[in-house]
Amino acid sequence: MGKIIALANQKGGVGKTTTAVNLAASLAVMDKKVLLVDADPQANASSGLNIDITSIKESIYECLINNLPVEQAIKKTEVENLDIIPSHIDLVGAEIEMLKLENREEYLRKILASQKDKYDYILIDCSPSLGLITVNCLTAADSVIIPVQAEYYALEGISKLLVTIKIIKGRLNPALEIEGFLLTMYDSRLRLARQVYDEVKQHFQDMVFNTVIQRNIKLSESPSHGVPVLLYDADSTGAKNYLSLAQEVINKNN
């Protein structure tokens, strides 16, 4: 039985999609079978894995709105052991279209139920909002990774996300846990970054991953080449950071 992990933070630009793509690829090279679900209308995780989002006909949108069988939406990627359900800009309208549906918060959970036995890990890249699609993601997930940028307003907004998680845990998904808080865009030369790390660690203690994702130019460049950083430059700091994170996730779940 695979584990479904959502990556969520309604604050944009915190490295959520970068983490989704690179953690998925790192788990895959460690011989884990991985499915990445792109649930963000911006579809950056899809384009980051070289999926042509302009010509895609089967995406998570069709699964949610048109009852497309999920198997038809799953695409192979250039990374062995890593598949993806791509996203599409149409997903922006899905929230409105789903408002009239019964049990609208549970659609994604039903869609992914048939895939849990086929993959070791299913990662969901949530959109940077707390709308109905993100509620679907958190209802479908076993746990959630919360990326936190090492900057001044790092903890701003996390309280809203934690309230949302608490509500979903109470009403829709009692088993939902926090997999961990992940510090991203970390620059050890900056005193502020170290202060943010200490503050996050003080707040959330053992729930903070030991791995931090350092600022790294190769990590920033790899999406424009349509590959995870591991395929772009396996010796880069970014690649090593995400391999370390993948190992931490595996160890935690063994």
Side-chain angles (χ1 to χ4, degrees), residues 126-146:
C126 301
S127 67
S129 74
L130 292 178
L132 183 56
I133 300 295
T134 298
V135 169
N136 261 266
C137 296
L138 295 174
T139 303
D142 299 306
S143 66
V144 55
I145 290 175
I146 303 171

Side-chain angles (χ1 to χ4, degrees), residues 84-151:
I84 185 169
I85 301 176
S87 185
H88 193 275
I89 190 64
D90 287 352
L91 195 60
V92 169
E95 301 218 351
I96 298 163
E97 293 177 70
M98 291 171 74
L99 282 175
K100 61 184 180 293
L101 303 175
E102 276 187 57
N103 302 319
R104 54 185 177 267
E105 303 90 354
E106 305 201 7
Y107 269 54
L108 188 59
R109 172 155 60 188
K110 291 171 187 167
I111 287 166
L112 296 180
S114 63
Q115 302 305 307
K116 281 194 87 168
D117 288 334
K118 299 176 185 177
Y119 294 93
D120 297 305
Y121 293 96
I122 298 174
L123 303 186
I124 309 174
D125 184 28
C126 301
S127 67
S129 74
L130 292 178
L132 183 56
I133 300 295
T134 298
V135 169
N136 261 266
C137 296
L138 295 174
T139 303
D142 299 306
S143 66
V144 55
I145 290 175
I146 303 171
V148 181
Q149 189 179 354
E151 57 145 41

Side-chain angles (χ1 to χ4, degrees), residues 8-24:
N9 191 332
Q10 79 276 16
K11 191 171 186 292
V14 298
K16 177 183 55 59
T17 298
T18 299
T19 296
V21 169
N22 289 290
L23 175 57

Side-chain angles (χ1 to χ4, degrees), residues 138-168:
L138 295 174
T139 303
D142 299 306
S143 66
V144 55
I145 290 175
I146 303 171
V148 181
Q149 189 179 354
E151 57 145 41
Y152 185 68
Y153 293 112
L155 297 180
E156 187 185 89
I158 286 183
S159 56
K160 283 183 193 169
L161 178 60
L162 294 178
V163 168
T164 302
I165 289 170
K166 189 176 178 182
I167 291 167
I168 287 168

